Amino acid sequence: MASVGIFVGLVVVVTILSKSHADRNVYPSAGVLFVHVLEREHFKGEFPPYPKAGDSSNDPITFNTNLKGYPDRPGWLRYIQRTSHSDGVLYGSPTAEHVGKPTIIEITAYNKRTFETARHNLVINIMSTEEFPLPYQAEFFIKNMNVEEMLASEVLGDFLGAVKNVWQPERLNAINITSALDRGGRVPLPINDLKEGVYVMVGADVPFSSCLREVETPQNQLRCSQEMDPVISCDKKFRAQFNIDWCKISLVDITKVVPVHSNRPDPGTGVLPDIGEYNPPSELLKSKDYFADFLITLAVPSAVALVLFIILGYSMCCRREGLEKRNMQTPDIQLVHHSSIQKSSKELRSTSKNREISWPLSTLPVFHPVSGEVVPPIHPDNYETTSMPLMQTQTNLQNQIQIPQQQISGKWYS
């Protein structure tokens, strides 16, 4: 395992390594990015080797980190490990509140091949620094990087070197690194090698350069509002390796920030005052009359419902006009017109049933294909033809009638 502190691109190793299963001590500074790599190679010696000689050990190993005695890590410390075949990384930025308080992190390694575990302790001793906090802080959003890629010492050193060329400070420190997913960003699609994006905050001791302040011009602010890339003169110094979203850059001068003091109430000792023993109420309680409550909750709504029911019944049953009253109020000419329409409709219905129409061809007599006899039509003469279909079937011969046939001598017979 290795820990590094980043100061203007220089990598300072501050880890004190000791024997296996012993505590490892690191000494990060408050207000400076702290990075500690959990190397898989360091824990492979804790697990048995492969059974076959000569096989390279590539066990899938995952790590679990937590504050000793607690289920999770401190709020300022984060952890990331992409796969079980990659190293884990602890990173964060301690504040002045944690100075002088040793933080013991329990690191548990899980071997997914042998299902064995190994546990080490990491003691973080946060040191104070005279230059904390740096008065001018700038936060950049790098779109073509993941957080574990940016935490690599050589990549972070290259970025700080580019910022130093643009800013020209005497002291430049990496303060914090945050994944875009922790800021509400969306997981990118696994196409075209898309990255999650990283927010990198750096601090310096001199005011912001004119190049960094170009994003605050009205022209660039208008381009950002239209989702267009602003025109930044120093972007070419980053473009070769880092794709920076200049619309999301944040410049903060903490010397001009007005501190906000919140008046918090005194939490106290957490012990309730002694008010003596609890005295329950006496068993001799006065009985309460619930008749008035009964009238209010049941009798009154029932009476109102009964009155409404009587009014509704009277309106529906006793206020009907009837047929005679309706006819009396209707003009005579309207009644005569209505009566004539009814009579005409009845006459049309009766005549339509008795009308005679020509039989369709499917109802004429045909010859039987086997015996040669004449087969009468399906329907008799008195059959209602108004509902007769166009195509007739001759499978049903229940309503057959006898058709007169002619003899050879010319006489008719039935």
Side-chain angles (χ1 to χ4, degrees), residues 187-195:
V187 178
L189 296 175
I191 56 176
N192 299 330
D193 196 22
L194 297 178
K195 304 294 184 179

Side-chain angles (χ1 to χ4, degrees), residues 333-395:
I333 188 172
Q334 187 175 355
L335 293 176
V336 173
H337 184 259
H338 180 70
S339 177
S340 62
I341 292 175
Q342 286 185 339
K343 290 181 180 179
S344 300
S345 299
K346 292 180 180 179
E347 291 178 359
L348 288 174
R349 291 192 184 97
S350 60
T351 55
S352 62
K353 292 182 180 179
N354 299 329
R355 64 183 178 179
E356 294 182 359
I357 60 175
S358 59
W359 292 93
L361 296 177
S362 60
T363 60
L364 296 178
V366 296
F367 293 94
H368 196 275
V370 178
S371 60
E373 297 179 355
V374 177
V375 180
I378 298 176
H379 305 290
D381 294 336
N382 60 353
Y383 183 76
E384 184 180 357
T385 61
T386 57
S387 59
M388 182 182 298
L390 295 178
M391 301 300 295
Q392 302 291 334
T393 59
Q394 298 183 1
T395 56

Side-chain angles (χ1 to χ4, degrees), residues 4-6 28-37 73-80 89-95 98 124 126 147 151 156 174-178 201:
V4 295
I6 306 299
S29 299
V32 180
L33 178 64
F34 164 72
V35 180
H36 183 84
V37 181
R73 297 174 299 277
W76 63 270
L77 189 63
R78 298 186 181 94
Y79 169 75
I80 186 171
V89 182
L90 285 169
Y91 66 100
S93 180
T95 61
H98 306 94
I124 303 176
I126 302 173
V147 62
L151 288 172
L156 186 57
I175 298 177
N176 199 3
I177 290 181
T178 307
M201 178 178 288

Side-chain angles (χ1 to χ4, degrees), residues 218-230 247:
Q219 295 81 5
N220 286 330
Q221 290 295 323
L222 178 61
R223 294 178 66 89
C224 289
S225 63
Q226 297 175 352
E227 297 183 357
M228 300 174 60
D229 294 333
C247 291

Side-chain angles (χ1 to χ4, degrees), residues 2 6-7 25 28 31 49 86 89 92 118 147 244 273 287 315 324 349 379 381:
I6 306 299
F7 299 92
N25 294 269
S86 61
V89 182
V147 62
I244 297 178
S287 60
S315 301
E324 295 179 357
R349 291 192 184 97
H379 305 290
D381 294 336

Side-chain angles (χ1 to χ4, degrees), residues 83-130:
T83 64
S84 58
H85 295 281
S86 61
D87 296 335
V89 182
L90 285 169
Y91 66 100
S93 180
T95 61
E97 299 177 355
H98 306 94
V99 174
K101 300 177 182 178
T103 303
I104 303 177
I105 303 297
E106 292 182 341
I107 303 173
T108 306
Y110 297 91
N111 190 323
K112 292 187 175 182
R113 179 181 65 88
T114 61
F115 301 99
E116 294 184 354
T117 61
R119 178 171 296 178
H120 294 176
N121 290 336
L122 177 68
V123 182
I124 303 176
N125 302 281
I126 302 173
M127 310 296 292
S128 62
T129 176
E130 297 179 357

